[in-house]
């Protein structure tokens, strides 16, 4: 069994706030008050929504902000000179500042960093590829792509390569290397890949299947000061503090709907200092103003709730679930084995726990859980690398989830474990 030192894991500069993830007692009152703010959750007390990595539920404050906007100043942004149009334009500009402050942009007022609104992470990554990367790369350049992550963080870079190839510009794509046990990016192997032609690295903050925090802050040390890093933060925004200065990345891309804003909203934050400026080209059309308004309200809400406490809560619930699963031999939990125990010195799961039953197909397991009013995701989870599309069941937690919901899920899984144990060869 590898130890944390052999894995080289230094997840957080200060992991102290995660040191005992199973002890959530002091957060219970805080969490109940927050849970009460989600009408869809309180309106369905018998249902456990455990699929927040797919999309998050919305607090009343977000619903109110959208309602207020649509009933007081709805107009198009950047067009028109009357009051509502001006107010809408101001709301969109304010949302850019909100995103910068949420990401702890070290230089929010200089105007050098930019925020571009998109429909989500997929479109955001594609925009970075199409409107920035293709003009940044030269013939013979190399880029590094994380093929074991989400497809949305592989396809755009492949499309950029195809586009450039049509213009006679040849780009080499290298596979981001992963450590076998931890599933973290392998910094030693990455260092060996990097050379003077390496011009871009794509990475993911939190893995959407394994829940692993990918220790992205280590990439800068490995690739050096001049290689732009683009971060897919779809699974981290709203789940843990995201500090672009500390991570030292150049692009942060995320989906609003996974961060409690409306579907069809999202953003790309781009640092101004490295490489050519990110200027999404062409005519962008009318912005999704309600999406942008909802994003401001969601980021306000999340900051007020406290992303550090949200992280503690969801990591704690995830640890409770993985700890419970450890005692049920019919289940195989995917991802880093070291982070499974609540007393593990390596706590790397961010409230996403993915597993398979050794005798029941994951799709069937999804249906069974649904019949017990537990909503989870059961499929191949859009992983980019072929061979990893075998179905599994993913449980993903957010601040509105409770210890009782996790225990209910474990009860159902325990019952299935008992029923099937005789029939399963482990
Ligand atoms: N990246 C990751 C890590 C994701 O989990 C997802 C959504 N599952 C995406 C990208 C794509 O997000 P969207 O569908 O909102 O564009």
């Amino acid at each position: 069994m590898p130890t944390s030192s052999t894995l080289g894991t230094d997840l957080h500069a200060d992991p102290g706030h995660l040191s005992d993830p199973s002890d959530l007692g002091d957060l219970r009152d805080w969490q109940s008050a927050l849970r009460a703010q989600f009408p869809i959750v309180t309106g369905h007390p018998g249902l456990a929504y455990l699929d927040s990595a797919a999309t998050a539920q919305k607090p009343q404050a977000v619903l109110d902000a959208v309602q207020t906007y649509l009933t007081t100043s709805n107009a198009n942004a950047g067009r028109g000179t009357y009051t509502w149009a001006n107010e809408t334009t101001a709301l969109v500009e304010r949302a850019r500042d909100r995103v910068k402050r949420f990401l702890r942009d070290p230089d929010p007022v200089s105007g050098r960093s930019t925020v571009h609104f998109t429909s989500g992470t997929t479109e955001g990554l594609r925009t970075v590829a199409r409107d920035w990367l293709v003009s940044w790369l030269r013939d013979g350049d190399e880029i590094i792509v994380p093929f074991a992550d989400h497809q949305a963080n592989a396809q755009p870079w492949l499309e950029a390569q195809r586009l450039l190839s049509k213009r006679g510009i040849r780009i080499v794509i290298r596979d981001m290397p992963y450590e076998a046990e931890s599933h973290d990016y392998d910094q030693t192997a990455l260092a060996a890949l990097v050379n003077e032609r390496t011009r871009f690295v794509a990475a993911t903050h939190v893995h959407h299947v394994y829940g692993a925090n990918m220790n992205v802050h280590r990439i800068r040390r490995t690739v050096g000061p001049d290689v732009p890093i683009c971060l897919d933060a779809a699974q981290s925004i709203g789940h843990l503090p995201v500090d672009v200065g500390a991570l030292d990345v150049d692009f942060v891309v995320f989906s609003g709907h996974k961060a409690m804003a409306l579907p069809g909203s999202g953003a790309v934050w781009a640092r101004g200092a490295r490489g050519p400026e990110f200027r999404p080209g062409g005519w962008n059309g009318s912005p999704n103003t309600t999406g942008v308004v909802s994003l401001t309200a969601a980021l306000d809400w999340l900051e007020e709730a406290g992303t550090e406490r949200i992280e503690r809560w969801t990591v704690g619930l995830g640890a409770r679930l993985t700890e419970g699963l450890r005692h049920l031999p019919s289940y195989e939990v995917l991802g880093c084995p070291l982070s499974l125990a609540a007393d593990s010195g390596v706590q790397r799961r961010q409230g996403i726990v993915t597993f398979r039953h050794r005798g029941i197909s994951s799709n069937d397991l999804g249906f069974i859980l649904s019949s017990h009013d537990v909503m989870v995701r059961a499929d191949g989870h859009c992983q980019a690398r072929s061979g990893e599309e075998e179905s599994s069941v993913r449980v993903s937690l957010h601040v509105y989830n409770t210890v009782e919901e996790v225990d209910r899920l474990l009860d159902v899984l325990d019952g299935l474990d008992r029923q099937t144990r005789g029939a399963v060869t482990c």
Side-chain angles (χ1 to χ4, degrees), residues 376-388:
V376 297
R377 171 132 173 210
D379 62 19
H381 313 298
C382 313
Q383 256 179 301
R385 191 157 66 187
S386 65
E388 287 184 347

Side-chain angles (χ1 to χ4, degrees), residues 56-75:
Q57 300 302 346
K58 323 301 177 202
Q60 187 66 49
V62 169
L63 307 179
D64 287 347
V66 172
Q67 164 95 358
T68 302
Y69 168 67
L70 288 175
T71 52
T72 58
S73 57
N74 177 44

Side-chain angles (χ1 to χ4, degrees), residues 137-143 168-174 195-199:
L137 296 177
R138 301 284 171 268
D139 190 46
D141 280 349
E142 301 188 3
I143 68 173
I169 298 169
R170 197 186 57 97
I171 301 303
V172 177
I173 294 190
R174 306 257 179 227
N195 59 53
E196 69 283 357
R197 296 315 302 264
T198 306
R199 300 270 288 162

Side-chain angles (χ1 to χ4, degrees), residues 125-139:
L125 293 168
R126 197 166 270 143
T127 306
V128 174
R130 196 186 48 212
D131 291 341
W132 181 83
L133 187 65
V134 293
S135 59
W136 168 240
L137 296 177
R138 301 284 171 268
D139 190 46

Side-chain angles (χ1 to χ4, degrees), residues 53 120-123 150 152 204 206 208 232 234-235 255 257-258 377:
T121 308
T122 304
E123 194 207 326
H150 198 281
T204 303
V206 170
H208 71 294
D232 173 348
Q235 297 298 350
S255 304
H257 70 96
K258 292 183 200 284
R377 171 132 173 210

